Amino acid sequence: MVLSGIWKRPENSKDPPPDLRISHAKELEPDAVQDLCASVGWSRREPALVSKALNNSVAVVSVWDKDVMVGFARATGDMVFNATIWDVVVRPTYQRCGVGLLVMRELLIELDSFDIPLVTLYADPGTDGFYKRFGFLTDPSGVRGMFREKL
Amino acid sequence: MVLSGIWKRPENSKDPPPDLRISHAKELEPDAVQDLCASVGWSRREPALVSKALNNSVAVVSVWDKDVMVGFARATGDMVFNATIWDVVVRPTYQRCGVGLLVMRELLIELDSFDIPLVTLYADPGTDGFYKRFGFLTDPSGVRGMFREKL
């Protein structure tokens, strides 16, 4: 695992969390990712597909408390003009203490290092205020997000 | 150029267009892409960046009338769980005769061939009706598109 830094408690944190490790590695154990996703109720996928999706992402950030993944986010994109953020997740017992801010900050630092001018995401209801803290705007110029799910 | 088929005039077309060629090749001349984008007022980019973005896309569709590109679209993604469509463009003199439908249909066929369950896009104002024809829903479950542009 590649570690890029040690987490520091943000000034506005309500609860002092433990020291956390930050990783920008794509090579993560699928089980560790799935365990985190399951903690917030997301369905499990085939491990090989998880690994392939991570490898095909342009940036992946995970946050660890010892050997437990407590935060995660990734982005897809073309490495030039745009990137799209997916799967921003924080383990419930680690929520409301700055882990989400940490994950987003680290992901945006990595995307900005590629000079990608446009970063997009799809915000679940009630989460847009969180993303606005990073400069994201909802439906700019009337642009609307659209989804097509294959049954 | 890899050609996947010959375009046929859709039954609901208002104007009979000429025979068009369809390509799913990523290796396109940047000038041809830029010329098409400029025809609808999009700004030009560095050719090397255009080539890199095309190469890093998971699917690219272009439609040609002889040696003139008249339609284009591409998608980014992780090749597993999701794809995002970008840059759907039809040359003005070829609009309203089925070229946009053709481009989208070809792009979705390619994405579906990878078994990607979720395809997303950001629709400019007034274009959501077009995308609904392909099964796209606007803001499903209250999910909202958000953009962060780097200045």
Side-chain angles (χ1 to χ4, degrees), chain A residues 94-111:
Chain A
Y94 288 77
Q95 289 179 5
R96 300 185 181 280
C97 61
V99 176
L101 291 171
L102 173 65
V103 167
M104 279 295 294
R105 190 190 68 192
E106 289 286 328
L107 192 66
L108 290 171
I109 287 171
E110 185 167 354
L111 295 175

Side-chain angles (χ1 to χ4, degrees), chain A:
Chain A
M1 184 188 306
V2 178
L3 300 180
S4 71
I6 300 295
W7 184 85
K8 297 296 181 189
R9 177 178 177 271
E11 291 182 2
N12 61 351
S13 174
K14 293 174 182 172
D15 304 293
D19 287 341
L20 301 177
R21 292 176 302 147
I22 301 157
S23 169
H24 286 255
K26 294 180 182 179
E27 300 78 21
L28 301 172
E29 281 295 324
D31 282 352
V33 180
Q34 305 245 52
D35 182 65
L36 172 59
C37 292
S39 76
V40 296
W42 296 358
S43 58
R44 289 179 183 270
R45 310 290 189 116
E46 283 183 44
L49 294 181
V50 173
S51 291
K52 184 179 176 185
L54 292 174
N55 193 53
N56 289 342
S57 297
V58 297
V60 176
V61 169
S62 55
V63 175
W64 299 75
D65 184 7
K66 296 187 176 64
D67 58 350
V68 178
M69 192 187 297
V70 301
F72 175 89
R74 68 186 179 104
T76 55
D78 61 15
M79 293 290 282
V80 180
F81 297 129
N82 61 64
T84 305
I85 294 174
W86 302 96
D87 305 334
V88 181
V89 55
V90 175
R91 192 174 288 272
T93 49
Y94 288 77
Q95 289 179 5
R96 300 185 181 280
C97 61
V99 176
L101 291 171
L102 173 65
V103 167
M104 279 295 294
R105 190 190 68 192
E106 289 286 328
L107 192 66
L108 290 171
I109 287 171
E110 185 167 354
L111 295 175
D112 286 345
S113 75
F114 305 136
D115 268 338
I116 297 170
L118 175 66
V119 181
T120 70
L121 55 82
Y122 297 96
D124 286 333
T127 64
D128 57 326
F130 171 73
Y131 295 114
K132 284 177 180 171
R133 297 173 70 168
F134 300 94
F136 285 87
L137 303 175
T138 306
D139 301 338
S141 304
V143 170
R144 301 292 291 275
M146 298 189 82
F147 280 38
R148 169 182 173 271
E149 290 185 81
K150 196 178 172 189
L151 302 178

Side-chain angles (χ1 to χ4, degrees), chain B:
Chain B
M1 183 189 308
V2 178
L3 299 181
S4 70
I6 299 296
W7 184 85
K8 297 295 180 189
R9 177 178 177 271
E11 291 181 4
N12 61 351
S13 174
K14 293 175 182 171
D15 304 293
D19 288 340
L20 301 176
R21 292 175 302 147
I22 301 157
S23 169
H24 286 254
K26 295 181 181 178
E27 300 77 20
L28 300 172
E29 282 295 325
D31 281 352
V33 181
Q34 305 245 53
D35 182 63
L36 173 59
C37 292
S39 77
V40 295
W42 296 357
S43 57
R44 289 180 182 271
R45 309 291 189 116
E46 284 182 43
L49 293 181
V50 172
S51 291
K52 183 178 176 184
L54 292 174
N55 194 50
N56 289 342
S57 298
V58 297
V60 176
V61 169
S62 56
V63 175
W64 299 75
D65 184 6
K66 296 187 176 65
D67 59 350
V68 177
M69 192 187 296
V70 301
F72 175 89
R74 68 186 178 106
T76 55
D78 61 14
M79 293 290 282
V80 180
F81 297 130
N82 61 62
T84 306
I85 294 174
W86 302 96
D87 305 333
V88 180
V89 55
V90 175
R91 192 174 289 273
T93 49
Y94 288 77
Q95 291 179 4
R96 300 184 180 281
C97 60
V99 176
L101 291 170
L102 174 66
V103 167
M104 280 295 293
R105 190 190 69 194
E106 289 286 328
L107 192 66
L108 290 171
I109 287 172
E110 185 167 354
L111 295 175
D112 286 345
S113 74
F114 304 136
D115 267 338
I116 297 170
L118 176 66
V119 181
T120 70
L121 55 82
Y122 297 96
D124 285 333
T127 64
D128 57 325
F130 171 73
Y131 295 115
K132 283 176 180 171
R133 298 173 69 168
F134 299 95
F136 285 86
L137 302 175
T138 307
D139 300 338
S141 305
V143 169
R144 300 292 292 274
M146 298 189 81
F147 280 39
R148 170 182 173 272
E149 291 185 80
K150 197 177 172 189
L151 302 178

